[in-house]
């Protein structure tokens, strides 16, 4: 057995005849903050439910801290789970909400008080301990849910889109809060989101899922700069993605040569809008749309290669709809994709 803290081995998860996750392999180190990222329905929640023990795998194995927990019941795994709807007890104070699980385990007196107080403090709610959930903001309630899970000292804390019903500003605050609590306590955390910005900002490593499998695992920098597939490239904002055939770009009606041959092993190439050079180059396009986005201006071009998205500094002279522009897709800037599909 490897010395990984949490290991999923060839995990297949199904609801009746519907296979939601297939042959998933994933290894997580102690103290890591891992984000599961992917489109709706790709199997994120299903994977989390299996780790928590709420869904029995059709096949495969889960080990945690050296023990096979594949068939261990949810309440014996010591895995914490925080969902998007965090369902606090409305009639109990913050303190009693956080104390609830410990009391169930028979923990009382000084130990109970110490742990509950420390946990409430760690999420910045020390002065709110006597309030009830209805007297708290959404973000504060969210933090109570976090404290309630953390106080159990879980081996792994699973968070399934815990920030998705907060407004933009609170989300940012809670994101920082989560990261701080995680670094301070060293708890191993798996965090589900379908917001790539959130995953990039928070995680030590990102697992990009698609159709019940893993597309790519890497650091935020890897995922952002070196997507391996067309799907991941598009997902992290490379909006100009092409398949390669014989070193040429495969467009809908022809193969197009670049200024230099594409890398041998690449199955595709991808460019972010800001990597497209506008105003010079071997290709021509017609401006179909333009929009101003603060410090940059975005263009949508109709071109023989298909639609191209470009982004230039807003200080540059602007181009009107209908204008014909030269452009280039510089090979040196492109991300080479090892899979195109
Ligand atoms: N109880 C269920 N019974 C049958 N199929 C289900 C059930 N729950 C989920 N599924 C299916 O399993 C697949 C994965 O669902 P899952 O909830 O894991 O997706 P997700 O990645 O969490 O998506 P979202 O981002 O929308 O929450 C989907 O195709 C879904 O329809
Ligand atoms: Mg989900």
């Amino acid at each position: 057995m490897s010395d990984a803290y949490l290991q999923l081995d060839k995990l297949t998860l199904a609801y009746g005849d519907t296979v939601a996750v297939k042959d998933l392999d994933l290894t997580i180190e102690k103290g890591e903050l891992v984000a599961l990222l992917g489109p709706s329905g790709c199997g994120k929640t299903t994977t989390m439910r299996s780790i928590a023990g709420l869904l029995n795998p059709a096949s495969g194995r889960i080990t945690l801290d050296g023990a096979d927990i594949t068939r261990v019941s949810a309440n014996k795994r010591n895995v914490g789970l925080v969902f998007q709807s965090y369902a606090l007890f409305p009639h109990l104070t913050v303190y009693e909400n956080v104390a609830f699980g410990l009391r169930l385990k028979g923990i009382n007196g000084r130990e109970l008080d110490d742990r509950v107080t420390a946990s409430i403090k760690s999420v910045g709610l020390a002065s709110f301990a006597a309030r009830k959930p209805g007297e708290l903001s959404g973000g504060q309630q969210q933090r109570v849910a976090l404290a309630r899970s953390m106080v159990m000292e879980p081996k792994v804390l699973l968070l399934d889109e815990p920030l998705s019903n907060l407004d933009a500003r609170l989300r940012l605050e809670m994101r920082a809060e989560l990261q701080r609590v995680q670094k301070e306590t060293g708890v191993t955390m798996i965090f589900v989101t379908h917001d790539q910005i959130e995953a990039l900002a928070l995680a030590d490593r990102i697992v990009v899922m698609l159709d019940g499998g893993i597309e790519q695992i890497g650091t935020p920098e890897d995922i952002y700069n070196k997507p391996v597939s067309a799907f991941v490239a598009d997902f992290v904002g490379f909006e100009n993605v092409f398949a390669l055939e014989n070193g040429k770009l495969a467009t809908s009606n022809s193969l197009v040569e670049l200024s230099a041959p594409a890398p041998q092993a690449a199955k595709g190439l991808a460019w972010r809008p800001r990597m497209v050079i506008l105003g010079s180059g071997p290709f021509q396009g017609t401006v179909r749309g333009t929009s101003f986005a603060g410090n940059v201006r975005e263009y949508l071009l109709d071109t023989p290669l298909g639609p191209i998205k470009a982004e230039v500094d807003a200080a540059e002279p602007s181009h009107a709809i209908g204008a014909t522009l030269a452009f280039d897709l510089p090979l040196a800037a492109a991300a080479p994709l090892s899979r195109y599909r």
Side-chain angles (χ1 to χ4, degrees):
M1 193 187 290
S2 99
D3 56 0
Y5 191 60
L6 174 64
Q7 188 162 348
L8 311 183
D9 264 326
K10 293 249 166 302
L11 204 60
T12 294
L13 306 168
Y15 300 97
D17 290 340
T18 313
V19 174
V21 168
K22 180 123 185 75
D23 287 339
L24 189 103
D25 288 320
L26 179 61
T27 300
I28 293 175
E29 301 302 325
K30 192 173 172 129
E32 255 194 312
L33 202 176
V34 171
L36 294 190
L37 178 66
S40 185
C42 70
K44 304 180 298 293
T45 295
T46 302
T47 303
M48 297 285 258
R49 294 187 66 216
S50 75
I51 299 170
L54 302 175
L55 180 67
N56 266 328
S59 62
R61 198 172 61 146
I62 305 174
T63 53
L64 175 59
D65 198 10
D68 186 334
I69 59 163
T70 317
R71 304 288 160 201
V72 173
S73 67
N75 58 0
K76 299 224 166 65
R77 289 190 182 197
N78 204 4
V79 171
L81 187 54
V82 179
F83 278 111
Q84 174 186 345
S85 56
Y86 31 82
L88 302 173
F89 297 114
H91 58 290
L92 297 182
T93 61
V94 168
Y95 185 99
E96 285 304 326
N97 264 284
V98 175
F100 191 84
L102 289 178
R103 287 198 201 284
L104 276 187
K105 281 179 85 180
I107 294 166
N108 293 299
R110 182 68 187 271
E111 186 190 349
L112 177 91
D113 190 51
D114 284 351
R115 283 172 69 174
V116 172
T117 305
S119 183
I120 291 174
K121 186 157 170 269
S122 80
V123 296
L125 290 177
S127 55
F128 295 85
R131 293 219 194 160
K132 297 201 172 139
E135 301 160 338
L136 300 173
S137 74
Q140 288 163 344
Q141 290 180 42
Q142 185 70 71
R143 283 186 268 168
V144 178
L146 187 60
R148 184 179 58 174
S149 280
M150 299 283 302
V151 79
M152 305 306 288
E153 296 172 358
K155 289 188 167 176
V156 182
L157 185 55
L158 307 174
L159 300 140
D160 195 349
E161 308 216 29
L163 310 185
S164 57
N165 52 13
L166 302 180
D167 70 33
R169 197 183 52 82
L170 260 180
R171 256 181 106 110
L172 275 179
E173 266 176 35
M174 273 307 297
R175 222 190 256 171
E177 188 78 6
L178 262 182
Q179 210 170 23
R180 186 186 60 75
V181 169
Q182 196 266 340
K183 291 302 164 212
E184 273 180 24
T185 59
V187 65
T188 307
M189 231 185 233
I190 307 178
F191 180 93
V192 167
T193 178
H194 47 236
D195 178 345
Q196 66 271 41
I197 308 286
E198 196 156 278
L200 292 166
L202 262 176
D204 297 318
R205 273 193 312 152
I206 296 175
V207 178
V208 183
M209 291 184 67
L210 176 67
D211 295 339
I214 293 178
E215 272 289 288
Q216 186 172 359
I217 303 179
T219 62
E221 288 80 2
D222 283 340
I223 302 287
Y224 190 77
N225 295 317
K226 297 177 194 158
V228 296
S229 71
F231 170 77
V232 179
D234 185 58
F235 205 60
V236 297
F238 287 77
E239 291 179 75
N240 306 295
V241 183
F242 293 92
L244 282 170
E245 279 175 36
N246 304 322
K248 297 172 184 168
L249 290 190
T251 72
S252 52
N253 42 30
S254 64
L255 294 182
V256 176
E257 269 190 73
L258 292 163
S259 44
Q264 285 286 329
K267 296 282 194 298
L269 291 175
W271 289 265
R272 291 183 181 282
R274 68 175 151 75
M275 295 167 171
V276 177
I277 293 171
L278 216 52
S280 67
F283 308 117
Q284 292 232 310
T286 306
V287 178
R288 193 202 319 164
T290 164
S291 65
F292 175 66
N295 51 351
V296 295
R297 194 178 292 278
E298 295 162 352
Y299 291 96
L300 180 61
L301 304 177
D302 280 327
T303 84
L305 310 182
I308 292 286
K309 268 202 169 174
E311 188 182 287
V312 295
D313 197 306
E316 301 278 317
S318 64
H319 306 285
I321 288 178
T324 300
L325 296 175
F327 72 94
D328 196 8
L329 299 172
L331 186 63
L337 310 175
S338 54
R339 287 202 307 282
Y340 188 91
R341 60 164 186 169

